[in-house]
Amino acid sequence: MTAQKSIKAIVSVFLFILLAILASEGLSALSKIKATGKNHAIIIGINNYKNWPKLQSPATDAEAIANVLAQKYNFRKSNITLLTDNTKEKPTLINILTSLGKYTSELTEKDNLFVFFSGQSTEDEKGETYWIPIDGKKKSKFTWLKHSALVEEFFTSENFKAKNLLIITDTPFKRKLIRRYENPVTLDNLRYEEKILEAASRNSREVIAFGDQHWPGSNNTNQMGLFAYYIHKLLSENDFEIIDFENLIFLFDDDVPFTIAKIAGTKLLAGRLQIPSAQKGQFVLARLAPSPVIDIIDAVVTPEKGYPGEKFTVAAKTNGAASEVYLEVDGKKHFMKGTGTEWQYSLKIDKLGKTPFIVAAINPNDIEGKPGKGRITTIKPRAPVVNVKQVSVDPKKGLGGDKYRFTATTETPAAGVYLIVKGKRFKMSGSGTNWSLAQKIDHIGTIKFSAVSTNVDEIQGRSKDGTILLEAGISNVVAVKPKPETGYAGEEFMISVKTDRIAAGVSLKMDGKVYPMEGSGSSWHYKKLIPDIGTKRFTVIAKNVKGQTGSALSGKIVTKKSPLPIPDIAAVDVSVVSPGKGYAGDSFTIKVNTSAPSDKVYVDIDGKQFAMKGAATQWNYVARIDKLGLSNYSVTARNKGGVQGQPKTGEIKTTKEPALPVNVITAEVSPKTGDLQKKFKFSARTDRPAKAVSLMIGKKRYGMIGKGTEWKLSKKLGQTGTIDFSVVARNEDNAEGGFKTAAVKVVKKRFKKNADGTLTDNLTGKTRNRFADNKDGTVTDLLTSIMWMQRPKQIAENYENAVEYCRNLKHKGLSGWRLPTISELKKISDKKQQNPALPLNNPFSGVLTHLSYWSKTKHKFGPKYVYKMNMWFGKIGYQKKDDNAIVWPVRYAEIEEKG
C-alpha cells in the first residue's frame, strides 16, 4: 500500500484512544520507547581524502544528521559519536573500528545503534562492497572497511547485544548480505503507534543504502549530498510523535524514493541483515517534547580548601531533573554522575590557588540552563594533614533519643575534630590527639557516623567511620501547651506537644474521641475548633515504631461564651450569572445566609480566600471560575469579636463551552487536471481556526497539514477520471462544520505516444513533439522526463572515466548529469530505425553508431560488467568496465504541469 503524508491525521484522530490505553497502563508512548533502551549513534562523514578524490558535502551531511537526531529525537548528544574531517578524532580506519568495537562490547540488549556513513566507497571484482576511511589507500583493501567483514565481526556477532541496529549508508551495500523485508506496519494503520512500539521491543538488523556512489550536492539540495539531503529533510519535517525509519524514508513522503531514483538513476536498497536472531523488530524514533530549561541552583565543593594534588568533590543541585550535568574546569568538561537533581564529580587539582569552575545542566532537548559557578581553593601547606586514628562510641547499642559519648583519637595533634551523623557536623571537645563529645542521637537503626580532623590550615584529613545500633525507645509526652489556654467557644485552638524521644505517632483524646496529631520526630500539634462552653480536658499519648506507648500527659482548655453570638453558615446558594451557561470562564453568584449577624464572611475557592459583600445575615460574592470541572469552596463567618462559627463547604461544577463550528470557505486543487504519477496540491481555508481539516475522496479521509485557517496537502491520487472531493473542518470539540466540494481530473499518463512519434498531452489535448529541443545543447524527452545532451561525447571512454565525466559535467549551469540506465536507453531507442536506432525527426546530433553506449545498470555477470546498447540497431548487450564505449550524459528534468 502506498502511504501519503495525509495519513498522519488519520492516525492523530485515533491518537487520544491510544494515549488513553497507554495511560491506563501507566506509561506514555515516550515512556514506553524509553523503556526499550538508549539510542546510540556513530555518524561518519568524510570530505578530504588523502588518497581518493575529495568530496564536498559528507562532513556537513553527517553533522546535519547528528544535529537533527539530538535536537528533535530521543538521541542524547553524548551518545552520538561523530567522526568527520572537523572532529578531534578523525574518521580513520583505526578510529572507526575502535568505535564499533566499543559499541559491540558495551551496548546491552535494550540499547539501539544507528550507523550512518557518507563518503567514498567501492566495489571489487567479486562484488564485495567497502567504505573508505579517510586514510584508506587506493590499492590496499586492507585499509578499507569491507561490509561483509563488518557484518560478521560486529553487527551479527554474538558479542553485539544491541536490540535494534540500523545502518543508513550513502553508498552501495552488498546485496547478498541483505534479505528483503516488508514492514507489515504501515503509516495508514490506525493502530500504527501501538504496533510499531511493539515491534520496537523486538530485535532487528536493518540496512537502508543509497545503492550507488555518493551523489554530490547542488543548489536544490542546499549543497548537501542527494541522499543525505532527503534523509535530513524527512527527519526535519516529520511530525509523527513516533515513527520507524523504514516508514519515514519510504512512505512518509513517497516522492522521495522516486525523486532519488530519477535524479541518480538508482534505487534505494533496503532490507535486513541475514541473521537468524533478528525477530522482525523495528528501529523507532520518538520526537522530543519541549522540555523546561534546567538551572543549577547550588554547587558545593568538598573540602572547602585543600592542598595541591588532593581530590575535591563538586556536588551540584538542579531545579529540575536534568539529562546531563557537566563540570568545566580549565576549559575541560567532565560529565558528572547522578540522576534527577543531584549530581557530583571528583577530580584532582594539582595547582596552587583558586581554580574557578562552571557547572551546567542539560535538558532532554540538549539545551543548557543557567550555570553555577564556584572556586576550588588549594593552599600551601603550613602543617601536615591530621588523620583520625580511631573513633568509638559508648555504649555501642541503645535507644534512639538518648545521649551517647563519642571519642576520637588523631594520629597527630589536631586543631579541631568533628563528629558527622546523617550529614550533620558536631564539634567535639578536646585538644592534641584526644577528643570527645556527648551527643543526643535522634535516629533508629544501624546509624553510621564518622569523625574527621582538621589541621591549622583547616584542611581535613582522613576520617574514620563507626556505627551505633539504636532501637526505638518508649516515647513519653513531656510537654503539652494549648494556645490559647482560655478562649471563646467556637474558636480554633492549637495544642502543641513535645516528646522526649522520636515518636512514630501522637494521639489526642478528647470527649471520648481520638484524633491523630500532625508532626514528626518529637514535635507534634493538632488544631481543633471547640464549639462548647466550659472546660475541655484532654490526654496526649505517644507511641514508637513498635507500637509501644509511653507515659501520657493531660491538659485542659477553658472556653467561655462569646459576648457576641457566633455566626454559623446556615445556607449557601450558588447560581451562574446570566447569560452564562455554567461554562469554565463564567461568573457565579454565591449567596450566603448566616445564623447570626456577622462582621465578616469569607469564601475560600480552591485555596484562595475572598471577602464577601453584605451585612448582618445576608452576604454574596461573584466569582469567575476558570477551572474546568469541580472547584471546592468553603464559607466561614466571624462576629465582631473575631470568633468564627461553623463553616459550610460545597462544589461549583463547570463544563466546557461548546466550540463554534469551523466552516470551510474555499477548497482548491492545483493542477485541476494532472498526471496519475504526479502529486496534486490541495489547499483549504476556514472561517476560523480549526483543530483539524480532512480531505475526503470517496469513503476515505486524509488529514491536511496546517494550522489556524490555512491548510494544505500534497497527494497522489490512485485513480483516473474526474474525481470529486470535499474538505471538512473540525473544531476543538471534534464537531464538523460546513464543507466545500470540488473536482479534479486525473489522467493515467501525461503524454500518449502517437503512431507518428508525436505525443498527445493528456492535460491539454494538444499534440507535441516528443523531444523538446531546449536550444542550449540539451534535449528533454517529455515521455520519460529525462534530459539528454543533444550530442553525445565523441570520444569513447572506459566506465570509470565515463562516470567521472558525467559527474563533473557542468553545461549551461546544469549539473547532476549521469549515465543513462539501460531502461532509459531502451525507451529512447526505436528498433524500426537504424543507424541510428532513434525515433524519426529526433533533434539529436553526432550519434555515433559504430561504438556501443554505456549504461549505468549492472549486469548479472558481476560488478565488472554493465549493460550497453548498440545504437545502430538498438540492440542491448554487455561489456567489461575496462573496455571503452560512448558517454551520453542524462539528467532528470521535471516537466512543467499545465492544466
Side-chain angles (χ1 to χ4, degrees):
M1 179 182 288
T2 301
Q4 311 288 342
K5 284 184 181 177
S6 56
I7 56 182
K8 290 180 277 187
I10 298 177
V11 176
S12 66
V13 170
F14 292 85
L15 187 56
F16 73 95
I17 299 174
L18 176 59
L19 291 177
I21 294 170
L22 295 178
S24 68
E25 295 173 354
L27 287 173
S28 66
L30 187 57
S31 298
K32 281 200 169 186
I33 198 169
K34 282 182 178 177
T36 66
K38 293 180 180 178
N39 283 346
H40 299 259
I42 175 170
I43 299 178
I44 304 164
I46 309 172
N47 290 356
N48 299 316
Y49 280 93
K50 298 177 181 178
N51 305 298
W52 292 69
K54 297 183 186 302
L55 301 174
Q56 295 298 318
S57 68
T60 52
D61 294 349
E63 291 165 1
I65 297 295
N67 286 336
V68 72
L69 289 178
Q71 293 170 9
K72 188 173 178 179
Y73 297 97
N74 54 328
F75 281 81
R76 284 190 181 179
K77 191 176 290 185
S78 59
N79 289 338
I80 297 176
T81 299
L82 183 62
L83 297 175
T84 73
D85 306 79
N86 306 319
T87 55
K88 183 178 180 181
E89 297 292 333
K90 305 302 179 187
T92 61
L93 177 68
I94 293 298
N95 286 342
I96 294 173
L97 291 175
T98 300
S99 296
L100 291 175
K102 175 185 174 185
Y103 287 122
T104 300
S105 62
E106 293 182 2
L107 295 188
T108 70
E109 290 85 350
K110 287 189 175 181
D111 293 325
N112 311 304
L113 179 62
F114 172 82
V115 179
F116 178 85
F117 181 90
S118 180
Q120 288 286 10
S121 60
T122 191
E123 183 177 13
D124 67 15
E125 65 280 359
K126 295 181 180 180
E128 295 286 352
T129 52
Y130 302 81
W131 290 332
I132 308 301
I134 196 169
D135 55 348
K137 307 292 184 183
K138 188 72 173 177
K139 295 184 178 180
S140 175
K141 291 183 181 180
F142 296 107
T143 64
W144 306 345
L145 292 160
K146 186 177 180 181
H147 291 159
S148 58
L150 293 177
V151 168
E152 181 180 355
E153 295 172 21
F154 295 106
F155 304 134
T156 62
S157 73
E158 292 183 359
N159 296 327
F160 186 65
K161 303 297 184 183
K163 177 176 292 183
N164 294 304
L165 166 72
L166 172 64
I167 301 170
I168 294 186
T169 178
D170 189 10
T171 68
F173 200 90
K174 186 177 179 181
R175 289 180 178 270
K176 289 184 179 180
L177 296 173
I178 304 172
R179 59 179 174 83
R180 291 194 60 177
Y181 179 80
E182 186 172 344
N183 187 353
V185 185
T186 55
L187 291 175
D188 56 353
N189 190 313
L190 296 179
R191 295 175 62 198
Y192 168 75
E193 190 170 298
E194 176 188 354
K195 287 181 174 293
I196 210 65
L197 281 172
E198 181 185 348
S201 67
R202 298 193 297 268
N203 181 285
S204 70
R205 299 289 184 265
E206 306 170 48
V207 178
I208 299 173
F210 176 52
D212 204 347
Q213 301 297 320
H214 169 80
W215 190 270
S218 66
N219 291 334
N220 292 333
T221 62
N222 298 327
Q223 302 306 320
M224 291 182 69
L226 176 70
F227 182 66
Y229 167 78
Y230 279 105
I231 298 297
H232 183 266
K233 182 174 185 287
L234 292 169
L235 287 168
S236 300
E237 294 180 355
N238 165 53
D239 53 8
F240 278 87
E241 294 296 328
I242 288 175
I243 192 168
D244 67 283
F245 265 103
E246 288 175 340
N247 271 300
L248 176 68
I249 292 175
F250 293 100
L251 295 182
F252 178 79
D253 183 348
D254 53 9
D255 253 8
V256 166
F258 171 81
T259 303
I260 292 175
K262 278 292 186 181
I263 292 175
T266 186
K267 289 185 179 180
L268 300 185
L269 177 65
R272 304 300 175 92
L273 294 178
Q274 301 274 12
I275 175 174
S277 62
Q279 299 170 355
K280 299 182 180 179
Q282 208 73 39
F283 198 117
V284 174
L285 291 170
R287 277 176 51 210
L288 292 174
S291 297
V293 174
I294 307 300
D295 299 329
I296 301 295
I297 58 175
D298 194 21
V300 178
V301 180
T302 304
E304 293 181 1
K305 56 184 175 179
Y307 297 135
E310 291 185 340
K311 272 195 173 182
F312 293 80
T313 298
V314 179
K317 184 174 288 187
T318 61
N319 65 347
S323 291
E324 292 177 336
V325 178
Y326 70 81
L327 168 70
E328 184 174 344
V329 180
D330 290 336
K332 186 176 181 180
K333 290 182 178 179
H334 310 271
F335 283 95
M336 304 181 79
K337 296 180 180 179
T339 57
T341 61
E342 303 287 339
W343 301 77
Q344 68 175 31
Y345 188 83
S346 297
L347 74 168
K348 188 168 72 171
I349 300 295
D350 292 318
K351 65 182 181 180
L352 184 68
K354 295 179 179 180
T355 302
F357 66 81
I358 295 174
V359 181
I362 302 171
N363 70 3
N365 298 119
D366 271 334
I367 298 174
E368 290 185 12
K370 183 179 178 181
K373 297 181 179 180
R375 291 179 298 184
I376 300 172
T377 303
T378 58
I379 62 174
K380 188 175 181 180
R382 288 189 300 160
V385 171
V386 179
N387 302 316
V388 175
K389 182 179 181 181
Q390 186 177 3
V391 64
S392 61
V393 62
D394 184 40
K396 294 182 179 180
K397 295 181 180 180
L399 301 177
D402 286 349
K403 275 192 174 183
Y404 296 86
R405 184 169 185 81
F406 295 86
T407 57
T409 303
T410 58
E411 293 177 350
T412 55
V417 178
Y418 296 86
L419 173 71
I420 303 173
V421 182
K422 293 282 190 180
K424 289 187 177 181
R425 294 167 70 96
F426 306 95
K427 189 170 184 179
M428 302 183 77
S429 300
S431 62
T433 60
N434 297 310
W435 301 79
S436 64
L437 175 67
Q439 180 64 38
K440 180 181 177 183
I441 306 297
D442 284 325
H443 300 287
I444 297 171
T446 300
I447 308 301
K448 291 183 179 180
F449 63 88
S450 61
V452 64
S453 56
T454 60
N455 62 9
V456 293
D457 292 328
E458 297 183 357
I459 302 300
Q460 291 184 181
R462 189 170 57 250
S463 63
K464 278 287 184 179
D465 300 332
T467 59
I468 182 172
L469 180 60
L470 301 178
E471 295 184 352
I474 300 296
S475 182
N476 304 303
V477 178
V478 295
V480 173
K481 184 173 180 60
K483 185 179 180 181
E485 294 181 0
T486 301
Y488 294 113
E491 285 187 325
E492 189 174 69
F493 292 77
M494 167 79 84
I495 301 170
S496 300
V497 170
K498 287 285 185 182
T499 58
D500 61 351
R501 285 192 176 89
I502 294 174
V506 179
S507 300
L508 169 73
K509 186 174 183 181
M510 181 185 291
D511 293 336
K513 294 183 179 180
V514 177
Y515 305 95
M517 302 187 78
E518 296 180 0
S520 62
S522 59
S523 297
W524 301 78
H525 66 273
Y526 187 77
K527 292 180 180 180
K528 182 166 177 60
L529 189 145
I530 300 178
D532 307 326
I533 298 172
T535 299
K536 287 286 184 182
R537 299 190 182 276
F538 60 86
T539 301
V540 182
I541 191 166
K543 62 180 179 181
N544 62 15
V545 292
K546 297 179 180 180
Q548 299 168 320
T549 57
S551 58
L553 207 60
S554 298
K556 66 178 181 178
I557 295 171
V558 178
T559 59
K560 53 186 179 179
K561 184 178 180 181
S562 173
L564 296 171
I566 298 173
D568 298 328
I569 303 301
V572 179
D573 178 65
V574 179
S575 61
V576 67
V577 177
S578 182
K581 303 292 185 182
Y583 302 137
D586 283 347
S587 294
F588 292 78
T589 298
I590 304 171
K591 293 182 179 180
V592 171
N593 292 333
T594 60
S595 61
S598 305
D599 182 56
K600 293 178 180 178
V601 178
Y602 298 94
V603 58
D604 285 84
I605 303 174
D606 285 340
K608 291 184 178 181
Q609 189 176 79
F610 307 94
M612 303 187 75
K613 296 180 180 179
T617 61
Q618 304 294 319
W619 299 78
N620 66 80
Y621 182 78
V622 177
R624 176 187 167 96
I625 306 297
D626 293 316
K627 178 182 173 183
L628 180 64
L630 296 178
S631 293
N632 297 311
Y633 70 81
S634 174
V635 184
T636 56
R638 294 178 182 271
N639 62 18
K640 288 186 177 181
V643 179
Q644 178 180 304
Q646 291 288 344
K648 271 198 181 295
T649 59
E651 297 172 339
I652 301 174
K653 183 178 181 181
T654 61
T655 57
K656 185 179 182 299
E657 182 177 4
L660 293 172
V662 180
N663 305 304
V664 177
I665 54 177
T666 61
E668 299 175 343
V669 63
S670 177
K672 294 180 179 178
T673 301
D675 184 347
L676 187 66
Q677 280 74 41
K678 302 294 183 181
K679 281 191 174 183
F680 292 82
K681 297 179 180 178
F682 296 88
S683 60
R685 181 175 294 170
T686 58
D687 60 352
R688 55 177 54 87
K691 179 182 180 182
V693 176
S694 297
L695 170 70
M696 297 185 295
I697 302 176
K699 295 182 179 180
K700 292 186 176 181
R701 285 179 174 246
Y702 306 94
M704 301 187 75
I705 299 168
K707 61 181 179 179
T709 60
E710 301 291 333
W711 299 79
K712 61 183 180 179
L713 176 66
S714 295
K715 172 172 181 54
K716 287 182 180 179
L717 300 176
Q719 60 189 98
T720 59
T722 299
I723 301 171
D724 294 324
F725 67 89
S726 298
V727 180
V728 65
R730 296 200 315 273
N731 63 13
E732 290 297 324
D733 296 333
N734 287 320
E736 294 183 348
F739 61 89
K740 285 287 182 180
T741 299
V744 60
K745 183 178 180 182
V746 184
V747 297
K748 185 174 182 180
K749 291 183 178 180
R750 171 73 187 273
F751 297 102
K752 176 184 176 183
K753 188 176 179 181
N754 301 319
D756 62 357
T758 61
L759 302 178
T760 297
D761 190 335
N762 288 321
L763 301 186
T764 64
K766 295 180 180 179
T767 299
R768 302 175 65 175
N769 290 327
R770 172 181 174 180
F771 298 102
D773 186 346
N774 299 315
K775 306 299 182 182
D776 61 357
T778 67
V779 174
T780 299
D781 183 356
L782 301 181
L783 198 62
T784 61
S785 298
I786 295 295
M787 180 184 290
W788 298 74
M789 288 296 295
Q790 193 164 22
R791 181 183 178 87
K793 191 175 189 294
Q794 299 297 294
I795 300 175
E797 301 274 7
N798 65 29
Y799 183 81
E800 184 176 342
N801 289 339
V803 170
E804 198 63 23
Y805 174 79
C806 293
R807 186 182 293 272
N808 296 327
L809 179 62
K810 299 286 190 298
H811 180 80
K812 303 295 184 180
L814 298 174
S815 59
W817 297 92
R818 58 174 172 81
L819 292 175
T821 65
I822 194 62
S823 174
E824 290 162 349
L825 283 168
K826 284 173 65 178
K827 288 178 181 177
I828 202 174
S829 65
D830 183 353
K831 289 187 177 181
K832 295 179 182 178
Q833 310 302 322
Q834 292 183 8
N835 193 25
L838 292 172
L840 291 173
N841 302 318
N842 71 80
F844 298 109
S845 64
V847 180
L848 304 176
T849 55
H850 64 287
L851 292 171
S852 296
Y853 284 71
W854 286 117
S855 85
K856 71 172 295 176
T857 307
K858 294 179 183 178
H859 192 267
K860 62 183 179 181
F861 282 179
K864 286 185 177 182
Y865 297 86
V866 292
Y867 283 96
K868 68 173 184 176
M869 176 169 279
N870 181 294
M871 294 308 298
W872 186 294
F873 298 106
K875 183 179 179 181
I876 295 172
Y878 64 91
Q879 69 182 40
K880 282 188 173 183
K881 292 181 177 179
D882 293 337
D883 296 337
N884 290 337
I886 296 295
V887 184
W888 199 348
V890 300
R891 65 187 296 274
Y892 176 59
E894 184 74 33
I895 306 300
E896 182 183 357
E897 292 281 6
K898 295 179 180 178

XYZ file of all heavy atoms in Angstrom, residues 667-703:
288
model
N -11.951 25.575 -1.108
C -11.267 24.295 -1.304
C -10.794 24.257 -2.745
O -11.607 24.324 -3.670
C -12.202 23.127 -1.015
N -9.462 24.193 -2.931
C -8.893 24.263 -4.270
C -7.875 23.163 -4.478
O -7.364 22.576 -3.508
C -8.238 25.635 -4.493
C -9.217 26.799 -4.393
C -8.525 28.142 -4.501
O -7.287 28.176 -4.335
O -9.219 29.148 -4.747
N -7.557 22.889 -5.753
C -6.545 21.902 -6.097
C -5.739 22.429 -7.271
O -6.270 23.125 -8.141
C -7.196 20.538 -6.452
C -8.089 20.647 -7.668
C -6.116 19.477 -6.654
N -4.442 22.122 -7.249
C -3.561 22.520 -8.342
C -2.625 21.359 -8.666
O -1.993 20.824 -7.758
C -2.759 23.761 -7.948
O -1.847 24.107 -8.970
N -2.540 20.951 -9.946
C -3.351 21.428 -11.063
C -4.766 20.842 -11.020
O -4.994 19.835 -10.340
C -2.581 20.923 -12.272
C -1.918 19.665 -11.777
C -1.558 19.927 -10.353
N -5.666 21.444 -11.747
C -7.033 20.923 -11.786
C -7.124 19.692 -12.668
O -8.051 18.889 -12.520
C -7.981 22.008 -12.277
C -8.094 23.181 -11.301
C -9.050 24.239 -11.808
C -9.140 25.382 -10.794
N -10.032 26.469 -11.267
N -6.169 19.568 -13.591
C -6.031 18.360 -14.395
C -4.583 17.933 -14.302
O -3.673 18.745 -14.513
C -6.419 18.619 -15.864
O -7.763 19.086 -15.919
C -6.290 17.333 -16.676
N -4.363 16.661 -13.961
C -2.990 16.245 -13.751
C -2.747 14.784 -14.042
O -3.667 14.016 -14.354
N -1.475 14.421 -13.905
C -0.951 13.107 -14.233
C -1.062 12.184 -13.022
O -0.837 12.609 -11.892
C 0.510 13.309 -14.635
C 1.199 12.051 -15.098
O 0.649 10.973 -14.898
O 2.307 12.179 -15.636
N -1.373 10.927 -13.251
C -1.502 9.952 -12.178
C -0.210 9.796 -11.382
O -0.240 9.495 -10.191
C -1.912 8.592 -12.777
C -2.258 7.470 -11.801
C -3.510 7.820 -11.018
C -2.448 6.150 -12.543
N 0.938 10.022 -12.043
C 2.215 9.840 -11.366
C 2.628 11.068 -10.538
O 3.595 11.025 -9.800
C 3.332 9.539 -12.379
C 3.361 8.096 -12.852
C 2.238 7.780 -13.828
O 1.916 8.586 -14.696
N 1.632 6.613 -13.680
N 1.927 12.161 -10.697
C 2.301 13.396 -10.017
C 1.431 13.621 -8.781
O 0.350 13.053 -8.638
C 2.143 14.596 -10.965
C 2.962 14.481 -12.241
C 4.444 14.528 -11.956
C 5.249 14.484 -13.246
N 6.692 14.501 -13.023
N 1.930 14.508 -7.915
C 1.148 14.883 -6.741
C 0.272 16.093 -7.045
O 0.666 16.986 -7.797
C 2.076 15.213 -5.575
C 2.632 14.004 -4.875
C 3.324 14.398 -3.575
C 3.757 13.155 -2.809
N 4.370 13.491 -1.520
N -0.905 16.092 -6.450
C -1.815 17.224 -6.538
C -1.750 17.999 -5.226
O -1.678 17.410 -4.148
C -3.242 16.752 -6.802
C -3.429 16.144 -8.171
C -3.092 14.820 -8.411
C -3.924 16.902 -9.213
C -3.243 14.257 -9.666
C -4.092 16.352 -10.477
C -3.746 15.026 -10.706
N -1.769 19.313 -5.324
C -1.690 20.164 -4.142
C -3.087 20.683 -3.792
O -3.648 21.504 -4.508
C -0.730 21.323 -4.391
C 0.698 20.869 -4.632
C 1.624 22.051 -4.901
C 3.052 21.567 -5.137
N 3.977 22.689 -5.449
N -3.627 20.153 -2.707
C -4.927 20.584 -2.221
C -4.733 21.676 -1.171
O -3.836 21.584 -0.326
C -5.680 19.407 -1.597
C -6.019 18.315 -2.584
C -5.122 17.286 -2.842
C -7.231 18.332 -3.259
C -5.427 16.292 -3.749
C -7.548 17.330 -4.170
C -6.638 16.306 -4.416
N -5.575 22.698 -1.215
C -5.499 23.773 -0.213
C -6.908 24.141 0.226
O -7.867 24.026 -0.549
C -4.775 24.998 -0.778
O -5.454 25.504 -1.911
N -7.018 24.562 1.467
C -8.326 24.927 2.017
C -8.149 26.074 3.000
O -7.095 26.221 3.627
C -8.971 23.732 2.711
N -9.217 26.877 3.119
C -9.240 27.977 4.082
C -10.530 27.886 4.875
O -11.598 27.598 4.317
C -9.143 29.317 3.367
C -9.142 30.526 4.301
C -8.925 31.798 3.533
N -7.588 31.831 2.937
C -7.204 32.750 2.053
N -8.039 33.696 1.673
N -5.981 32.715 1.564
N -10.422 28.117 6.179
C -11.595 28.041 7.053
C -11.940 29.432 7.584
O -11.119 30.349 7.546
C -11.326 27.093 8.233
O -10.177 27.564 8.954
C -11.059 25.676 7.744
N -13.183 29.557 8.081
C -13.626 30.873 8.554
C -13.094 31.210 9.946
O -13.155 32.361 10.371
C -15.151 30.965 8.529
C -15.820 29.920 9.408
O -15.113 29.029 9.913
O -17.054 29.985 9.585
N -12.593 30.220 10.670
C -11.951 30.455 11.963
C -10.956 29.321 12.199
O -11.000 28.288 11.505
C -12.979 30.537 13.096
C -13.906 29.352 13.227
C -14.840 29.524 14.428
N -15.580 30.773 14.418
C -16.763 30.941 13.797
N -17.340 29.932 13.178
N -17.379 32.109 13.824
N -10.033 29.478 13.124
C -9.024 28.428 13.333
C -9.645 27.053 13.593
O -10.586 26.926 14.372
C -8.250 28.932 14.559
C -8.398 30.416 14.498
C -9.785 30.658 13.973
N -9.103 26.053 12.909
C -9.619 24.689 13.010
C -8.647 23.815 13.785
O -7.435 24.047 13.789
C -9.841 24.102 11.619
N -9.199 22.798 14.456
C -8.358 21.807 15.123
C -7.758 20.862 14.095
O -6.586 20.470 14.192
C -9.179 21.021 16.139
C -8.386 19.954 16.863
C -9.261 19.172 17.828
C -8.472 18.096 18.549
N -9.339 17.309 19.465
N -8.542 20.474 13.101
C -8.084 19.576 12.037
C -8.957 19.783 10.819
O -10.118 20.190 10.923
C -8.141 18.120 12.498
N -8.372 19.497 9.663
C -9.107 19.601 8.397
C -8.841 18.317 7.618
O -7.700 17.859 7.552
C -8.675 20.834 7.592
C -9.379 20.870 6.241
C -8.975 22.116 8.362
N -9.898 17.751 7.047
C -9.778 16.490 6.327
C -10.172 16.650 4.868
O -11.148 17.347 4.544
C -10.663 15.417 6.963
O -10.259 15.140 8.284
N -9.390 16.009 4.011
C -9.742 15.879 2.604
C -10.480 14.563 2.441
O -9.994 13.520 2.870
C -8.475 15.898 1.750
C -8.640 15.528 0.277
C -9.386 16.620 -0.469
C -7.274 15.287 -0.366
N -11.661 14.599 1.833
C -12.455 13.387 1.666
C -12.572 13.061 0.189
O -13.027 13.889 -0.615
C -13.844 13.578 2.280
C -13.810 13.806 3.783
S -15.459 13.885 4.537
C -16.111 15.352 3.787
N -12.127 11.854 -0.171
C -12.240 11.350 -1.537
C -12.944 10.007 -1.449
O -12.383 9.044 -0.914
C -10.872 11.216 -2.206
C -10.153 12.566 -2.232
C -11.016 10.664 -3.616
C -8.751 12.510 -2.788
N -14.136 9.939 -1.922
C -14.929 8.729 -1.746
C -15.194 8.497 -0.270
O -15.633 9.391 0.449
N -14.893 7.310 0.197
C -15.103 6.982 1.607
C -13.836 7.186 2.445
O -13.855 6.939 3.645
C -15.571 5.530 1.743
C -16.942 5.261 1.124
C -17.359 3.815 1.328
C -18.743 3.552 0.744
N -19.164 2.146 0.929
N -12.760 7.637 1.799
C -11.502 7.788 2.517
C -11.284 9.235 2.938
O -11.669 10.169 2.238
C -10.331 7.317 1.653
C -10.329 5.821 1.403
C -9.070 5.388 0.677
C -9.008 3.874 0.509
N -7.775 3.442 -0.180
N -10.677 9.374 4.118
C -10.328 10.692 4.659
C -8.815 10.805 4.776
O -8.147 9.854 5.160
C -10.942 10.890 6.047
C -12.421 11.164 6.039
C -12.917 11.310 7.468
N -14.315 11.706 7.490
C -14.765 12.857 7.944
N -13.916 13.732 8.450
N -16.040 13.161 7.925
N -8.316 11.974 4.481
C -6.889 12.242 4.602
C -6.715 13.552 5.361
O -7.316 14.576 5.003
C -6.230 12.343 3.228
C -6.491 11.140 2.352
C -7.548 11.131 1.445
C -5.696 10.009 2.447
C -7.803 10.030 0.646
C -5.938 8.889 1.652
C -7.004 8.912 0.753
O -7.245 7.819 -0.019
N -5.919 13.512 6.406
C -5.700 14.708 7.215
C -4.828 15.717 6.494
O -3.759 15.390 5.984
